[in-house]
Amino acid sequence: MNKVLSKQLLSLNGLPTAPYQVAVEDQRFPLDRELVFPLIVKPAAEGSSLGVFVADTPEEFEVRL
C-alpha cells in the first residue's frame, strides 16, 4: 500500500488525515520547517508497521533517513 498516494486520495475526497510531510531517501529534507519532535517516520510502500521508527531529535531523523 502506498501511504502517500492513499493520503492524497483521502484528502481529495474530503476525508481527514493526520498532517504529513514526504521525505525522499538520499535527498536532504529541510529541517528548517516547523517540525515537532518526536516524529513518526513510516516508509511509503511497506506495511502498516514495517520500517516505522520514532525520531526524537532532528539528528536522529537525519541519521535514519
Side-chain angles (χ1 to χ4, degrees), residues 1-12 17 20-24 42-46:
M1 177 175 115
N2 186 301
K3 293 175 187 72
V4 177
L5 181 58
S6 296
K7 283 206 163 268
Q8 291 170 342
L9 289 172
L10 291 169
S11 294
L12 284 172
T17 67
Y20 70 99
Q21 295 289 327
V22 177
V24 178
K42 299 175 86 174
E46 292 189 22

Side-chain angles (χ1 to χ4, degrees), residues 4-64:
V4 177
L5 181 58
S6 296
K7 283 206 163 268
Q8 291 170 342
L9 289 172
L10 291 169
S11 294
L12 284 172
N13 287 286
L15 299 167
T17 67
Y20 70 99
Q21 295 289 327
V22 177
V24 178
E25 189 175 15
D26 296 329
Q27 290 184 9
R28 178 133 173 87
F29 187 81
L31 289 178
D32 56 341
R33 298 179 185 197
E34 294 183 23
L35 298 176
V36 178
F37 288 86
L39 296 176
I40 306 300
V41 182
K42 299 175 86 174
E46 292 189 22
S48 62
S49 61
L50 294 174
V52 173
F53 71 92
V54 177
D56 291 310
T57 66
E59 294 77 21
E60 285 180 6
F61 177 73
E62 285 189 19
V63 167
R64 295 292 299 269

